[in-house]
Amino acid sequence: MQVEKYLVKCLHRLQKGPGYTYQELLVWYCDNTNTHGPKRIIREGPKKKAAWFVLTLLFASVVFWQWGVFIRTYLSWDVSVSLSLGFKAMHFPAVTICNSSPFQYSKVRHLLKDLDELMEAVLERIVATEPSHANATKDLNFTIWNHTPLVLIDERNPRHPVVLDLFADNHNSSASSSPAIRRGCNAQGCKVAMRLCSVNGTVCTFRNFTSATQAVTEWYTLQATNIFSQVSPQELVKMGYPGEQLILACLFGAEPCSYRNFTSIFLPDYGNCYIFNWGMKEKALPSANPGVEFGLKLILDIGQEDYVPFLTSTAGVRLLLHEQRSYPFVKDEGVYAMSGTDTSIGVLVDKLERKGKPYSHCTVNGSDVPIQNLYSDYNTTYSIQACIGSCFQDHMIQNCTCGHFLYPLPHGEKYCNSQEFPDWAYCYSELRRSLDQRESCIRMCKESCNDTQYKMTISMADWPSEASEDWIFHVLSQERDQSTNITLSRKGIVKLNIYFQEFNYRTIEESAAYNIVWLLSNLGGQFGFWMGGSVLCLIEFAEIIIDFLWITVIKLVSFSKGLRQRRAQARYAGPPPTVAELVEAHTNFAFQPDPADQGPDPGAYTHEQALPIPGTPPPNYDSLRLQPLDVIESDSDGDAI
């Protein structure tokens, strides 16, 4: 009922029109506001009134300008970085160790036989001063060579470079090659390049290298990837180094451990890798104290004599320290440990805490990243490396219709190989060099809001020493091979010591550089300094704005009502009939009122005709005239607004 009554009052107020004008409202505001300037405008004389008007307008402009600056600064969402130090017992990091060679050559020799023979012939052609004879390469399998051959580019004439095929005299694949030209091509004048062609060789490109070593290594890796992509994952695991062969000894603090305390994972770049303290099935292990004696000690045998000769040119162990339940990107973030050395790694912990939206584009768990995480099958946490790898594989499938062997494969897709996808190498090379592809992945991928980084201090020394080498190798050979003879050598042994240098950790935390308290204090300070105002003055200003709007609404309603009345009156020639006229029109048929309120025109009648005798008209009372209902005002003063 109260709401209905209030609406009725509002309707009556709209019907009556505005009670005061804009000028009256403005004068009332200037006279009653707590802001200093407007009062002087209406109370002073003409000259001072003009001066105070200019000053008030000037300082109000300054206030609004300063407010705009502060609001724009606040909306820039800048952050400040604070560094704090803490001390507590910490969980030992997850440690991933991999052999530099992904496979044992004795187990993959049958798969790489044709490729190795072709590689030897390529090296012979590159380093030989005289061209080889045709019968030296007649037994080679050129099926692999046809897809992505290596060529020599003679650049002695930069304006007209000549492309030379290494096997032009044995394999008809290049018309612009001859032994005579190749005989005069030296290391300075010719460069080795890889020719990549699309289907049927209609579109080709050359990937140039500054050194033949880089060229043949990249070419062999590309061909080996093509071969291993057609092997089942179970067979690939069997071809790698087993944990019992790689890990000879393990000690964590005072507790002995073995390869059974490691979690095995297959990485295409390094084969079988082993993760200590990953935290997938068990709780993370704490570190009792800082120092070498409370860390992880390992003795590893990399089996360097069984390395794949053309696939791996680096001997040692690749290791990575990372958080529990995070995927190990050993190739991108790992470090090497040399064979024949005792490598000590001191660890310091940095914790990064980034502000989320709107201050940065970081993500908590990757759920708001528009890319399918292909590493989620490992049940690992989100990382920007996983996002970039998944993004590249997604572009690879979209552009090349197959996935690369080095990245996880989505369900229902196939890895690239030359038999099913002949032009995959050309497509992969173009995609790898594409700047748009990299930028699109960087735009879509986000950093993690919370991250832990392990800073390593690495030192090395020869191990074992010449004095202790004999008995150490005897003991290790007996433990592994049950042999009295030495089956190990300095070239294959690596010793690792991983420990916390101290329990102090650094927390690098982002915080808002400008918060809402800063914004309100600066807005109020500027308003108070230039105008002598406060929050109540702003409320007063808001009140007058509302009043101005209310008066405008009332005037518009009144104008609309008057417009409708004028249109209604325009349909009649005179004023509306009175009640007496309406009654007489229905009861006295002889009475015909004159519309013009004038007597009859004598000229309209002849002398023989008498003028008509009008009926007796009733009294004409203006009070009986009909009035529109929408202009009736309320009788009571309490009902008006």
Side-chain angles (χ1 to χ4, degrees):
M1 295 299 295
Q2 295 293 333
V3 176
E4 183 179 359
K5 185 177 180 180
Y6 181 77
L7 293 177
V8 171
K9 291 181 179 181
C10 290
L11 179 61
H12 292 168
R13 188 69 185 89
L14 290 174
Q15 293 173 347
K16 293 177 66 175
Y20 40 84
T21 63
Y22 292 121
Q23 182 179 0
E24 293 173 347
L25 180 63
L26 185 60
V27 171
W28 175 88
Y29 170 76
C30 294
D31 192 38
N32 293 275
T33 182
N34 291 320
T35 308
H36 300 318
K39 292 183 178 180
R40 305 297 297 270
I41 295 177
I42 64 173
R43 294 181 179 180
E44 299 293 344
K47 295 182 179 179
K48 289 188 176 181
K49 181 181 297 185
W52 276 105
F53 176 78
V54 172
L55 290 176
T56 302
L57 185 62
L58 175 63
F59 292 153
S61 302
V62 173
V63 169
F64 286 122
W65 171 64
Q66 289 292 328
W67 281 5
V69 172
F70 288 125
I71 293 175
R72 185 173 63 252
T73 303
Y74 174 76
L75 295 179
S76 64
W77 309 118
D78 292 337
V79 297
S80 60
V81 180
S82 61
L83 177 64
S84 60
L85 298 177
F87 178 84
K88 68 174 183 178
M90 293 179 291
H91 292 297
F92 198 78
V95 181
T96 300
I97 57 173
C98 305
N99 204 331
S100 296
S101 179
F103 305 106
Q104 299 180 80
Y105 189 53
S106 58
K107 296 182 179 180
V108 298
R109 189 190 303 270
H110 64 286
L111 296 175
L112 302 177
K113 179 178 179 298
D114 294 340
L115 181 60
D116 289 345
E117 293 177 353
L118 191 59
M119 182 69 170
E120 292 175 356
V122 168
L123 293 176
E124 181 181 356
R125 289 299 181 96
I126 292 177
V127 300
T129 57
E130 295 293 333
S132 302
H133 298 287
N135 56 3
T137 58
K138 64 180 181 180
D139 296 331
L140 296 177
N141 183 4
F142 285 100
T143 304
I144 302 175
W145 184 262
N146 292 336
H147 293 292
T148 51
L150 288 173
V151 297
L152 289 174
I153 300 180
D154 188 356
E155 297 179 344
R156 288 177 292 182
N157 186 358
R159 297 183 178 181
H160 301 284
V162 180
V163 179
L164 310 175
D165 195 334
L166 292 175
F167 296 103
D169 50 350
N170 302 98
H171 184 65
N172 188 17
S173 61
S174 177
S176 61
S177 176
S178 66
I181 296 178
R182 191 169 60 251
R183 186 182 301 113
C185 187
N186 51 32
Q188 289 75 20
C190 291
K191 300 296 182 181
V192 181
M194 187 187 309
R195 184 168 61 193
L196 302 168
C197 297
S198 61
V199 179
N200 299 327
T202 55
V203 180
C204 293
T205 183
F206 294 93
R207 185 181 176 189
N208 300 324
F209 300 90
T210 57
S211 172
T213 302
Q214 297 174 337
V216 296
T217 301
E218 290 290 330
W219 178 82
Y220 189 93
T221 302
L222 185 65
Q223 301 300 336
T225 299
N226 177 71
I227 295 173
F228 291 132
S229 63
Q230 305 176 57
V231 182
S232 64
Q234 295 79 12
E235 292 297 324
L236 292 176
V237 172
K238 295 179 181 179
M239 296 175 184
Y241 286 84
E244 57 271 22
Q245 179 179 342
L246 178 65
I247 304 172
L248 300 181
C250 176
L251 187 67
F252 181 68
E255 298 294 330
C257 52
S258 66
Y259 71 93
R260 295 183 179 88
N261 300 105
F262 289 74
T263 303
S264 176
I265 183 175
F266 180 82
L267 303 181
D269 292 294
Y270 296 101
N272 294 334
C273 296
Y274 302 91
I275 307 177
F276 179 79
N277 195 32
W278 201 9
M280 285 294 185
K281 299 179 181 179
E282 66 283 341
K283 293 183 179 181
L285 299 176
S287 180
N289 283 299
V292 179
E293 298 302 322
F294 300 95
L296 177 65
K297 300 179 181 180
L298 297 172
I299 299 178
L300 309 174
D301 178 20
I302 61 176
Q304 188 177 162
E305 66 280 355
D306 204 15
Y307 273 25
V308 181
F310 300 121
L311 185 62
T312 306
S313 58
T314 303
V317 172
R318 187 80 169 175
L319 62 95
L320 173 66
L321 307 183
H322 55 98
E323 288 186 276
Q324 278 74 28
R325 304 180 65 86
S326 64
Y327 188 86
F329 291 91
V330 180
K331 183 178 181 180
D332 300 326
E333 302 175 345
V335 295
Y336 277 112
M338 294 175 53
S339 58
T341 61
D342 183 347
T343 303
S344 296
I345 301 176
V347 181
L348 294 175
V349 180
D350 286 345
K351 295 183 178 181
L352 278 69
E353 298 178 1
R354 299 182 177 91
K355 291 283 290 183
K357 291 183 178 180
Y359 297 94
S360 68
H361 297 287
C362 69
T363 178
V364 178
N365 52 13
S367 59
D368 54 343
V369 177
I371 297 176
Q372 179 187 0
N373 186 7
L374 300 180
Y375 296 86
S376 59
D377 293 340
Y378 296 94
N379 196 26
T380 55
T381 57
Y382 172 85
S383 65
I384 191 172
Q385 291 84 359
C387 179
I388 293 177
S390 301
C391 180
F392 180 84
Q393 186 73 306
D394 180 66
H395 289 175
M396 186 76 184
I397 293 174
Q398 291 180 5
N399 293 275
C400 308
T401 67
C402 60
H404 198 276
F405 176 69
L406 299 181
Y407 303 94
L409 192 67
H411 298 290
E413 302 294 339
K414 292 183 178 181
Y415 280 124
C416 297
N417 60 81
S418 300
Q419 283 70 27
E420 298 182 70
F421 310 96
D423 58 341
W424 80 269
Y426 171 82
C427 179
Y428 166 69
S429 178
E430 292 296 316
L431 189 63
R432 185 179 177 183
R433 293 186 297 180
S434 174
L435 181 61
D436 295 336
Q437 181 272 327
R438 293 195 296 269
E439 290 182 348
S440 64
C441 289
I442 292 175
R443 285 194 302 268
M444 290 186 291
C445 292
K446 302 178 181 180
E447 291 183 315
S448 178
C449 291
N450 299 312
D451 193 12
T452 301
Q453 297 179 354
Y454 297 96
K455 304 297 183 181
M456 296 179 289
T457 303
I458 303 175
S459 60
M460 292 178 292
D462 289 338
W463 185 88
S465 63
E466 294 182 359
S468 58
E469 178 179 352
D470 185 66
W471 71 266
I472 289 178
F473 286 156
H474 267 98
V475 171
L476 294 177
S477 300
Q478 173 65 29
E479 290 177 346
R480 191 187 70 172
D481 303 323
Q482 288 78 41
S483 173
T484 57
N485 298 324
I486 296 178
T487 58
L488 301 174
S489 65
R490 180 184 295 273
K491 295 181 180 181
I493 294 297
V494 178
K495 185 178 180 183
L496 296 176
N497 297 311
I498 305 172
Y499 57 93
F500 280 121
Q501 285 184 310
E502 54 188 24
F503 274 174
N504 291 334
Y505 65 93
R506 298 188 304 176
T507 300
I508 303 174
E509 183 180 4
E510 291 183 351
S511 59
Y514 310 104
N515 53 24
I516 191 65
V517 176
W518 174 90
L519 178 63
L520 293 178
S521 62
N522 282 277
L523 295 181
Q526 293 296 321
F527 188 44
F529 178 75
W530 295 104
M531 299 288 294
S534 62
V535 177
L536 295 179
C537 296
L538 296 178
I539 297 176
E540 292 175 352
F541 186 74
E543 179 186 10
I544 192 177
I545 294 297
I546 296 174
D547 290 340
F548 265 92
L549 295 177
W550 180 241
I551 292 176
T552 303
V553 171
I554 293 176
K555 284 182 175 293
L556 291 176
V557 171
S558 178
F559 174 78
S560 177
K561 182 180 64 176
L563 183 62
R564 289 198 305 268
Q565 291 178 355
R566 287 193 297 271
R567 289 179 179 176
Q569 293 175 359
R571 291 196 294 263
Y572 301 97
T578 63
V579 175
E581 291 173 345
L582 293 175
V583 172
E584 183 65 22
H586 287 82
T587 59
N588 187 1
F589 298 99
F591 173 70
Q592 297 295 333
D594 189 0
D597 292 335
Q598 298 177 357
D601 186 8
Y605 302 95
T606 61
H607 297 283
E608 291 80 6
Q609 292 178 337
L611 295 175
I613 301 174
T616 304
N620 188 4
Y621 297 108
D622 292 338
S623 61
L624 297 179
R625 187 176 299 274
L626 297 177
Q627 299 293 333
L629 295 178
D630 56 352
V631 299
I632 298 177
E633 298 180 358
S634 175
D635 296 332
S636 60
D637 296 335
D639 292 338
I641 299 177

